[in-house]
Amino acid sequence: MELELRHFKIIVAVAEAGSITKAASTLGLAQPALTAQLHRIERALGGPLFERDRKGARPTALGELVLSRARLLLPAVSGLREEAARFANNAALPGDTPARLRLGSATGPVLGGLVHQLNAAYPDLHVTTHVSWSSEELASMVADGRVDYTLVGVCGDAPPPSQPGLIWRTLATDPVFVLLSDKHPLADQPQVELSALAGWQWGATPGDGCFADCFAAACARAGFTPRTLYETDVNSCIDLVESGDAVVLCQPMFRKMPGVVPVPIAGNPLRWRNLIGWHPDGSAAAFSDQLVKMASTAYADVIARSTRYTEFLRDHPGFGVERPEAV
């Protein structure tokens, strides 16, 4: 006999009622029919689930094991049914809002704020996220219909990821700053010459595209070749800076934290464009105008939390959030 959900409901009902008779009444079954069902279930599971006497029914060790699983399984299935029903009933939310939205993102500052805005504006919208360091991978996922929109970054004037057929819009263009230890001799300067860091080792988070080449070219123009470029995760980059083992390339709205300071690089030799992309035939493509606006607002909110970058933008109006244009 194959076990079904109704069998687990019987086991839980007997355990909670404490007797076959009371469980039969709760389930609306005749006692002989419930007893026969329970015997079949016990044979399928390989042993008795309850000790039965005049005082009622008490779970055996095997019964306790099965009960622990059943009490996890039944609520999970019930929740799945409810969620599936909501999803089916919300095949389309008001206007062009989809019932679900799958967002991809490379390392960047926008995703959290965008999800917050979506949850606040569309509480019935089911939002999922996928993060990857590879912009090309994310673009491929959009083209294949595995995500609806993706947030990526590209270096300077480099083109978007090479996946054909996608629409890309620019959310913002930012200078690349350098993250220094607060004990670094240049940490209190309004900006730092790239050449002044020639003797240091460098760190950056991973990514595809031409950023490493652009960085090497900027260093060459400044008259040096970087000793090392550690490619590692964000936390390790911060550790390297705090310990004085490296300086790290970072986004200008890097969140304030003790021990490290983001500082502009004189002349802004490195730029980073933040893009959002989607497929025009995607299931959520009709929501693009609204999502681009919300992503731009989320980006502006991130910038507003950074006093240093906000002050920088007053003197460099060519950076920051842009009026989104197709690229």
Side-chain angles (χ1 to χ4, degrees):
M1 182 185 76
E2 293 290 336
L3 290 174
E4 301 175 8
L5 284 177
R6 60 190 177 90
H7 298 139
F8 291 103
K9 290 178 180 178
I10 287 172
I11 295 167
V12 171
V14 173
E16 291 180 347
S19 79
I20 302 291
T21 302
K22 291 179 181 178
S25 176
T26 300
L27 295 170
L29 298 174
Q31 181 179 333
L34 180 57
T35 301
Q37 280 269 42
L38 188 57
H39 284 154
R40 287 194 290 272
I41 294 169
E42 289 177 325
R43 285 196 297 272
L45 289 170
L49 301 179
F50 296 94
E51 294 177 355
R52 297 184 279 275
D53 55 28
R54 292 180 180 179
K55 295 181 180 180
R58 296 179 304 281
T60 63
L62 176 60
E64 291 286 3
L65 172 65
V66 175
L67 274 169
S68 67
R69 301 297 191 271
R71 284 170 172 152
L72 293 174
L73 175 65
L74 293 174
V77 173
S78 177
L80 173 62
R81 285 174 172 164
E82 292 174 2
E83 188 173 350
R86 287 196 301 270
F87 188 88
N89 291 335
N90 288 332
L93 295 173
D96 292 324
T97 309
R100 67 172 181 174
L101 201 61
R102 300 163 298 173
L103 302 176
S105 179
T107 302
V110 181
L111 182 61
L114 178 56
V115 170
H116 172 72
Q117 289 206 25
L118 288 166
N119 287 338
Y122 303 99
D124 292 327
L125 176 62
H126 182 61
V127 180
T128 59
T129 59
H130 178 88
V131 176
S132 170
W133 62 264
S134 171
S135 297
E136 292 290 345
E137 177 192 0
L138 291 166
S140 177
M141 292 181 72
V142 174
D144 294 342
R146 288 178 286 163
V147 298
D148 300 306
Y149 293 84
T150 190
L151 300 160
V152 303
V154 296
C155 183
D157 295 322
S162 59
Q163 191 70 36
L166 303 187
I167 296 174
W168 296 97
R169 286 200 167 86
T170 301
L171 296 175
T173 300
D174 297 313
V176 176
F177 280 17
V178 61
L179 192 66
L180 304 177
S181 165
D182 61 2
K183 299 180 180 63
H184 193 284
L186 299 175
D188 60 352
Q189 298 299 306
Q191 61 181 17
V192 58
E193 295 287 342
L194 192 58
S195 59
L197 301 170
W200 286 81
Q201 299 184 103
W202 293 79
T205 52
D208 44 19
C210 64
F211 184 75
D213 293 336
C214 293
F215 171 63
C219 292
R221 291 193 297 271
F224 72 98
T225 300
R227 292 172 54 194
T228 306
L229 179 60
Y230 296 116
E231 192 175 78
T232 185
D233 60 274
V234 173
N235 288 334
S236 296
C237 280
I238 295 170
D239 290 341
L240 289 169
V241 172
E242 282 190 307
S243 64
D245 290 306
V247 296
V248 166
L249 299 166
C250 71
Q251 296 172 326
M253 67 287 291
F254 189 88
R255 183 166 293 183
K256 186 176 181 180
M257 59 179 58
V260 296
V261 180
V263 181
I265 302 173
N268 306 309
L270 295 167
R271 293 182 297 115
W272 193 252
R273 283 190 303 138
N274 298 275
L275 311 176
I276 184 169
W278 67 95
H279 197 287
D281 296 326
S283 59
F287 193 57
S288 60
D289 287 347
Q290 182 65 16
L291 192 69
V292 169
K293 290 177 184 176
M294 296 180 84
S296 296
T297 300
Y299 208 100
D301 289 344
V302 173
I303 291 175
R305 293 198 294 268
S306 172
T307 303
R308 185 158 200 170
Y309 190 36
T310 300
E311 293 173 351
F312 174 93
L313 290 176
R314 294 193 187 107
D315 297 326
H316 302 83
F319 290 108
V321 177
E322 298 184 6
R323 181 177 180 274
E325 299 290 348
V327 296

